[in-house]
Amino acid sequence: MRSTRWKAASRAALALAGAGALAASMALFATAPASAGTTLGASAAEKGRYFGTAVAGFKLSDSAYTTILNREFNMVTAENEMKMNATEPQQNQFSYGAADQIVNHARSRGMSVRGHTLAWHSQQPGWMESMSGSALRQAMLNHVTQVATHFRGQVVAWDVVNEAFADGSSGGRRDSNLQRTGNDWIEAAFRAARAADPGAKLCYNDYNTDNWTHAKTQGVYNMVRDFKARGVPIDCVGFQSHFNNDSPYVSNYRTTLSSFAALGVDVQITELDIQGASASTYRSVVEDCLAVARCNGITVWGIRDSDSWRASQTPLLFNSNGSKKAAYDAVLAALNNGTTPTDPPTDPPTDPPTTPPPGTGGCTATVSVNQWNGGFVANVRVTAGSSALNGWTVSIGLPSGATVTNAWSANRSGNTGTTNWTNVAYNGQVGAGQSTEFGFQANGTAGSLSPTCSAG
Ligand code: XIL
């Protein structure tokens, strides 16, 4: 576990995604506090977090709107402009103007951007809605690749997949045209996003996943645990947290956040609004995030009540006239009172693993490389031999000129020449014949890599 403070700092432009470099990558998410303690963004940054809002591009010409946006927030999510119907309105014709306008507004003022969203059953362009099967799978992967490539280096995190789980008691996937392309569509989207933008943190995002006892929450939790065990590149989970009378805030929310964090992912509150905007509920949400070291930011879904997709619920922090509501004061106070996250984090572990003895049947490692001009991503698959692994080490010799810049799902020693990679906490135990994966990004040319694997 690493510190998860998303601190004020300007570091290298490329986020270092993945378990081996989380602490460094956090630095990208919050801008320096210009007026600590008096605005949401500055107060959150003092706690190593960010405070963001959804932004509607057409409102950037409203000065009352931009005055609050520019003063209070240090993270921005495009409310609709990065969705599939906005960015690929006709197949293979990409349209980035509205999204670029939001990104430029944010980044030129020192705010960061969350990308929302690469793959979703909703707000698909018409041509995609009527597709199915392998044609749809390919179109989806092409969309993920093209859009993540366009915004590479400008978006600190992507909601790679949005809302893929069903409501109700099943705990399973939501039916959709994407789901019908095969259950592995989500991991395929994550792998494509990692290859296209290795520096962005990759999140799964959903709603009604706040209550720890709900089947939907458990379904998402089990998917994330499985992804981490198998080396699917996932870095974070977004909790939309649209709280209302049908889906209220519950006191086990903190347990939900900390339980996901204990899987080795960051957690973020991505679309917060609360029907009626109870000050005490807003305060509880902020306190819950601050209590979880890996909860690194909160985004509200709009600025003024009149900006809300659920305006009649008056769920936001500012009145329609732009004045601060009691909920604003409660959020600011909670941010200023909050403690700084500890390192190592104090999140309670869930499901302590049983520890088998080291395997004696050895292991093998294979690598697949995605090379581009001047750099590459390598995905390494570790497969246990005839007995289960309890820890593994992979050695990979890199050709001269190749330098590792970024890695995920393994600990590393060395970044040139001979590099050695060992399991992290959640992927050391691999059943006989089973596999897990880790990966890294490097400058230079991979050539042909020949990894060797040893157990223990
Ligand atoms: C909403 C927008 O706020 C509306 O403007 C739009 O008409 C529909 O989508 N979950 C999500 C968001 O992930 O993208 C949704 O945003 C709200 C629910």
Side-chain angles (χ1 to χ4, degrees):
M1 285 289 191
R2 301 295 200 282
S3 164
T4 56
R5 300 189 64 192
W6 292 22
K7 296 186 5 180
S10 57
R11 298 242 195 141
L14 202 61
L16 303 177
L22 279 168
S25 66
M26 295 304 127
L28 292 170
F29 279 80
T31 53
S35 48
T38 62
T39 68
L40 301 172
S43 294
E46 289 226 309
K47 296 297 184 291
R49 270 63 172 214
Y50 66 80
F51 208 97
T53 180
V55 165
F58 70 90
K59 291 181 181 156
L60 291 175
S61 56
D62 173 349
S63 65
Y65 181 83
T66 54
T67 297
I68 305 173
L69 168 63
N70 299 347
R71 185 186 71 218
E72 295 287 343
F73 298 97
N74 56 7
M75 180 70 77
V76 159
T77 304
E79 187 171 357
N80 289 297
E81 292 79 353
M82 289 191 192
K83 294 173 180 175
M84 299 177 103
N85 57 358
T87 50
E88 195 178 358
Q90 305 297 329
Q91 189 168 15
N92 263 316
Q93 291 178 18
F94 291 87
S95 164
Y96 297 118
D100 285 343
Q101 191 196 2
I102 293 175
V103 170
N104 292 339
H105 182 99
R107 284 169 48 82
S108 66
R109 290 166 177 79
M111 308 174 200
S112 298
V113 179
R114 288 190 93 260
H116 174 79
T117 176
L118 293 171
W120 190 18
H121 69 276
S122 182
Q123 291 185 264
Q124 292 182 359
W127 62 265
M128 183 179 276
E129 282 176 331
S130 58
M131 285 181 94
S132 63
S134 59
L136 173 61
R137 173 67 70 91
Q138 281 312 313
M140 180 275 286
L141 293 175
N142 181 55
H143 181 88
V144 170
T145 300
Q146 298 293 329
V147 177
T149 300
H150 175 81
F151 292 106
R152 183 176 165 138
Q154 304 189 70
V155 162
V156 290
W158 269 110
D159 291 333
V160 177
V161 170
N162 198 34
E163 301 183 350
F165 275 73
D167 293 310
S169 59
S170 79
R173 298 285 181 85
R174 169 196 298 278
D175 180 52
S176 72
N177 59 347
L178 291 169
Q179 180 62 29
R180 289 191 292 270
T181 70
N183 207 49
D184 63 342
W185 75 275
I186 298 180
E187 60 195 85
F190 274 84
R191 291 186 207 282
R194 178 72 96 214
D197 185 355
K201 299 173 84 60
L202 304 183
C203 308
Y204 175 78
N205 193 55
D206 213 331
Y207 69 93
N208 280 357
T209 47
D210 317 293
N211 188 328
W212 180 238
T213 68
H214 278 180
K216 185 173 178 182
T217 310
Q218 293 299 312
V220 175
Y221 176 84
N222 287 332
M223 178 188 75
V224 174
R225 182 166 60 178
D226 171 57
F227 279 12
K228 295 300 288 185
R230 290 191 294 114
V232 176
I234 185 170
D235 306 307
C236 35
V237 175
F239 297 83
Q240 293 184 11
S241 304
H242 295 291
F243 293 118
N244 54 54
N245 297 343
D246 296 327
S247 175
Y249 168 82
V250 282
S251 59
N252 68 29
Y253 186 55
R254 188 180 298 195
T255 300
T256 302
L257 298 177
S258 63
S259 298
F260 274 83
L263 291 177
V265 288
D266 293 334
V267 294
Q268 297 151 15
I269 299 167
T270 52
E271 303 182 15
L272 179 64
D273 48 22
I274 302 174
Q275 180 171 17
S278 153
S280 69
T281 307
Y282 262 107
R283 181 174 62 238
S284 296
V285 170
V286 173
E287 288 173 350
D288 289 343
C289 180
L290 293 178
V292 176
R294 294 194 77 146
C295 181
N296 30 36
I298 299 172
T299 294
V300 286
W301 205 241
I303 298 178
R304 303 161 300 190
D305 284 333
S306 51
D307 300 318
S308 171
W309 71 314
R310 291 174 167 170
S312 65
Q313 294 184 3
T314 60
L316 296 175
L317 301 178
F318 294 87
N319 280 317
S320 298
N321 66 11
S323 59
K324 297 170 181 173
K325 295 165 62 174
Y328 174 95
D329 297 332
V331 166
L332 189 66
L335 290 171
N336 288 333
N337 289 338
T339 53
T340 302
T342 51
D343 185 13
T346 53
D347 313 337
T350 54
D351 294 341
T354 53
T355 307
T360 53
C363 54
T364 54
T366 56
V367 62
S368 69
V369 170
N370 177 15
Q371 178 80 53
W372 63 85
N373 189 14
F376 62 93
V377 165
N379 280 301
V380 184
R381 174 172 286 263
V382 177
T383 304
S386 56
S387 61
L389 295 172
N390 182 25
W392 45 261
T393 302
V394 171
S395 183
I396 304 175
L398 297 179
S400 75
T403 307
V404 177
T405 56
N406 176 15
W408 50 93
S409 305
N411 297 309
R412 164 172 55 99
S413 73
N415 60 1
T416 58
T418 301
T419 60
N420 288 304
W421 308 80
T422 56
N423 61 280
V424 287
Y426 54 79
N427 66 6
Q429 291 167 28
V430 184
Q434 302 293 301
S435 297
T436 188
E437 286 187 8
F438 68 94
F440 61 91
Q441 186 190 354
N443 295 326
T445 304
S448 68
L449 302 175
S450 326
T452 58
C453 187
S454 56

Short mmCIF file of all heavy atoms in Angstrom, two decimals, residues 79-80 83 116 120 123 162-163 240 242 271 301 309, ligand 1:
data_model
loop_
_atom_site.label_atom_id
_atom_site.label_comp_id
_atom_site.label_asym_id
_atom_site.label_seq_id
_atom_site.Cartn_x
_atom_site.Cartn_y
_atom_site.Cartn_z
N GLU A 79 -19.97 17.06 -18.57
CA GLU A 79 -21.25 16.43 -18.20
C GLU A 79 -21.77 15.51 -19.30
O GLU A 79 -22.35 14.46 -19.01
CB GLU A 79 -22.29 17.50 -17.85
CG GLU A 79 -23.56 16.90 -17.30
CD GLU A 79 -24.53 17.93 -16.74
OE1 GLU A 79 -24.19 19.13 -16.73
OE2 GLU A 79 -25.63 17.53 -16.33
N ASN A 80 -21.58 15.88 -20.54
CA ASN A 80 -22.05 15.07 -21.68
C ASN A 80 -21.06 15.00 -22.85
O ASN A 80 -21.20 14.14 -23.71
CB ASN A 80 -23.38 15.64 -22.22
CG ASN A 80 -24.53 15.40 -21.26
OD1 ASN A 80 -24.90 14.26 -20.98
ND2 ASN A 80 -25.08 16.48 -20.73
N LYS A 83 -19.04 11.75 -23.98
CA LYS A 83 -19.78 10.49 -24.12
C LYS A 83 -19.71 10.01 -25.57
O LYS A 83 -19.38 10.75 -26.49
CB LYS A 83 -21.22 10.69 -23.64
CG LYS A 83 -21.26 10.95 -22.13
CD LYS A 83 -22.64 11.31 -21.61
CE LYS A 83 -22.59 11.57 -20.10
NZ LYS A 83 -23.90 12.05 -19.56
N HIS A 116 -15.08 11.16 -18.99
CA HIS A 116 -16.35 10.46 -18.73
C HIS A 116 -17.16 10.43 -20.02
O HIS A 116 -17.54 11.49 -20.49
CB HIS A 116 -17.11 11.21 -17.64
CG HIS A 116 -18.49 10.68 -17.37
ND1 HIS A 116 -18.72 9.56 -16.62
CD2 HIS A 116 -19.72 11.13 -17.74
CE1 HIS A 116 -20.03 9.35 -16.54
NE2 HIS A 116 -20.65 10.28 -17.21
N TRP A 120 -20.39 2.70 -22.50
CA TRP A 120 -21.61 2.81 -21.69
C TRP A 120 -22.76 2.32 -22.53
O TRP A 120 -22.77 2.51 -23.75
CB TRP A 120 -21.80 4.29 -21.32
CG TRP A 120 -22.84 4.62 -20.30
CD1 TRP A 120 -23.42 3.80 -19.41
CD2 TRP A 120 -23.41 5.93 -20.09
NE1 TRP A 120 -24.31 4.51 -18.63
CE2 TRP A 120 -24.33 5.81 -19.03
CE3 TRP A 120 -23.23 7.19 -20.69
CZ2 TRP A 120 -25.07 6.89 -18.56
CZ3 TRP A 120 -23.97 8.26 -20.22
CH2 TRP A 120 -24.87 8.12 -19.16
N GLN A 123 -26.52 6.75 -23.97
CA GLN A 123 -25.94 7.84 -24.74
C GLN A 123 -24.93 7.34 -25.78
O GLN A 123 -23.86 7.90 -25.96
CB GLN A 123 -25.37 8.93 -23.82
CG GLN A 123 -26.51 9.67 -23.09
CD GLN A 123 -26.06 10.84 -22.23
OE1 GLN A 123 -25.88 10.67 -21.02
NE2 GLN A 123 -25.88 12.00 -22.83
N ASN A 162 -18.96 2.61 -17.72
CA ASN A 162 -19.96 3.23 -16.86
C ASN A 162 -21.18 2.31 -16.74
O ASN A 162 -21.67 1.78 -17.74
CB ASN A 162 -20.37 4.57 -17.50
CG ASN A 162 -21.06 5.53 -16.56
OD1 ASN A 162 -20.75 5.57 -15.36
ND2 ASN A 162 -21.98 6.33 -17.08
N GLU A 163 -21.63 2.10 -15.52
CA GLU A 163 -22.96 1.52 -15.25
C GLU A 163 -23.21 0.16 -15.91
O GLU A 163 -24.24 -0.05 -16.54
CB GLU A 163 -24.05 2.51 -15.70
CG GLU A 163 -23.97 3.84 -15.00
CD GLU A 163 -25.09 4.80 -15.38
OE1 GLU A 163 -25.83 4.51 -16.33
OE2 GLU A 163 -25.20 5.85 -14.74
N GLN A 240 -20.88 7.09 -8.19
CA GLN A 240 -21.61 8.29 -8.65
C GLN A 240 -22.25 9.00 -7.47
O GLN A 240 -22.21 10.21 -7.37
CB GLN A 240 -22.68 7.89 -9.67
CG GLN A 240 -22.10 7.37 -10.98
CD GLN A 240 -23.18 7.09 -12.01
OE1 GLN A 240 -24.35 7.45 -11.84
NE2 GLN A 240 -22.79 6.44 -13.10
N HIS A 242 -25.47 9.52 -6.49
CA HIS A 242 -26.67 10.35 -6.65
C HIS A 242 -27.64 9.92 -5.54
O HIS A 242 -28.34 8.91 -5.68
CB HIS A 242 -27.32 10.11 -8.02
CG HIS A 242 -26.47 10.54 -9.17
ND1 HIS A 242 -26.20 11.85 -9.44
CD2 HIS A 242 -25.83 9.83 -10.13
CE1 HIS A 242 -25.44 11.94 -10.52
NE2 HIS A 242 -25.20 10.73 -10.95
N GLU A 271 -20.09 11.78 -8.95
CA GLU A 271 -21.25 12.53 -9.48
C GLU A 271 -22.18 12.94 -8.34
O GLU A 271 -23.40 12.85 -8.46
CB GLU A 271 -22.01 11.69 -10.52
CG GLU A 271 -21.14 11.23 -11.67
CD GLU A 271 -21.90 10.43 -12.73
OE1 GLU A 271 -23.14 10.47 -12.75
OE2 GLU A 271 -21.22 9.78 -13.56
N TRP A 301 -22.20 16.87 -9.16
CA TRP A 301 -22.71 16.78 -10.53
C TRP A 301 -23.41 18.10 -10.91
O TRP A 301 -24.62 18.13 -11.15
CB TRP A 301 -23.60 15.56 -10.69
CG TRP A 301 -23.67 15.08 -12.12
CD1 TRP A 301 -24.79 14.99 -12.91
CD2 TRP A 301 -22.57 14.63 -12.94
NE1 TRP A 301 -24.44 14.52 -14.17
CE2 TRP A 301 -23.09 14.29 -14.21
CE3 TRP A 301 -21.19 14.49 -12.71
CZ2 TRP A 301 -22.29 13.82 -15.26
CZ3 TRP A 301 -20.39 14.02 -13.75
CH2 TRP A 301 -20.94 13.70 -14.99
N TRP A 309 -28.98 18.08 -13.35
CA TRP A 309 -29.86 17.22 -14.16
C TRP A 309 -31.12 16.89 -13.39
O TRP A 309 -32.08 16.39 -13.99
CB TRP A 309 -29.12 15.96 -14.59
CG TRP A 309 -28.83 14.95 -13.51
CD1 TRP A 309 -28.33 15.19 -12.25
CD2 TRP A 309 -29.05 13.54 -13.56
NE1 TRP A 309 -28.21 14.03 -11.53
CE2 TRP A 309 -28.63 13.00 -12.32
CE3 TRP A 309 -29.52 12.67 -14.54
CZ2 TRP A 309 -28.70 11.63 -12.03
CZ3 TRP A 309 -29.58 11.30 -14.25
CH2 TRP A 309 -29.17 10.80 -13.02
C1 XIL B 1 -26.53 12.94 -17.21
C2 XIL B 1 -26.38 14.41 -17.55
O1 XIL B 1 -26.25 15.14 -16.35
C3 XIL B 1 -27.58 14.90 -18.34
O2 XIL B 1 -27.34 16.22 -18.81
C4 XIL B 1 -27.86 13.98 -19.51
O3 XIL B 1 -29.06 14.36 -20.13
C5 XIL B 1 -27.95 12.55 -19.08
O4 XIL B 1 -26.78 12.18 -18.38
N1 XIL B 1 -24.88 8.89 -14.58
C6 XIL B 1 -23.86 9.32 -15.38
C7 XIL B 1 -23.93 10.67 -16.01
O5 XIL B 1 -22.82 8.65 -15.48
O6 XIL B 1 -23.28 10.70 -17.25
C8 XIL B 1 -25.35 11.14 -16.16
O7 XIL B 1 -25.33 12.49 -16.63
C9 XIL B 1 -26.09 11.01 -14.87
C10 XIL B 1 -26.13 9.59 -14.39
#
